[in-house]
Amino acid sequence: LIASLVPTAVRVLTGYKGLMVVRRDLGLYSFKFALLHFLIFAGLDYRFDLELLWDALAQGSRNIIGAISWLLLLVLALTSTKQAMRRLGRYWRPLHRLTYLASALAVAHYVLTFKEWRVAPVVTGIVLVLLLVVRMVPLLRQRSTRSRQS
């Protein structure tokens, strides 16, 4: 999921747009990975027993955060087709900004998986923050340009 944010950061920092063509594929791969992660969790750990799964969800914030992130990824995957883009029109882009929230929740889920601090989840969080900061640069430029024009 973090990798799907890289093409935009590269475009912002360098102007190179060549990676933008893989952005949707990376997002869909992240959904497939999350789906596989959930199926392994639900199948191997809980044998698809809905009552046990519900209890596991109620046990802690890690599972709730993971479930919310997965649901966001599901919505994003379902609306990633050209047909969905046409149907949603101007609402498609704001909807797909939920990628940032899903990413933050996925990193939080990753961090909470361990009882103590680990390097990999912390580094992943730092990378996410850096990618989000880079993404904010054009948005801040647009706002400052608009305020000067008013």
Side-chain angles (χ1 to χ4, degrees):
L1 187 56
I2 302 295
S4 71
L5 302 177
V6 170
T8 301
V10 169
R11 187 196 72 216
V12 168
L13 291 172
T14 67
Y16 178 69
K17 297 177 185 179
L19 292 178
M20 297 302 284
V21 296
V22 299
R23 187 170 57 172
R24 181 182 3 182
D25 290 338
L26 291 170
L28 291 172
Y29 288 138
S30 68
F31 170 71
K32 291 172 188 174
F33 176 84
L35 177 61
L36 183 60
H37 174 64
F38 171 73
L39 291 174
I40 290 170
F41 170 76
L44 294 181
D45 293 349
Y46 296 96
R47 300 178 197 238
F48 297 105
D49 183 323
L50 294 179
E51 188 175 331
L52 290 175
L53 281 168
W54 187 255
D55 289 343
L57 189 63
Q59 281 179 3
S61 56
R62 171 180 57 119
N63 294 338
I64 293 169
I65 289 170
I68 293 169
S69 181
W70 185 83
L71 288 171
L72 289 173
L73 290 175
L74 174 64
V75 169
L76 294 170
L78 292 174
T79 59
S80 288
T81 64
K82 290 183 182 184
Q83 183 181 15
M85 291 172 80
R86 276 193 304 274
R87 282 187 179 168
L88 289 168
R90 66 185 179 102
Y91 299 106
W92 184 87
R93 181 162 283 145
L95 176 68
H96 275 256
R97 287 191 181 124
L98 288 174
T99 303
Y100 305 116
L101 176 59
S103 299
L105 291 172
V107 169
H109 175 71
Y110 186 28
V111 168
L112 293 171
T113 299
F114 304 102
K115 292 182 180 174
E116 70 281 338
W117 286 97
R118 299 267 178 106
V119 172
V122 171
V123 169
T124 304
I126 291 168
V127 169
L128 174 62
V129 167
L130 291 173
L131 289 169
L132 293 177
V133 166
V134 168
R135 177 65 183 106
M136 294 300 293
V137 169
L139 298 175
L140 294 173
R141 282 185 193 147
Q142 285 177 344
R143 284 196 177 154
S144 69
T145 302
R146 285 184 200 151
S147 66
R148 277 190 247 133
Q149 291 174 350
S150 330

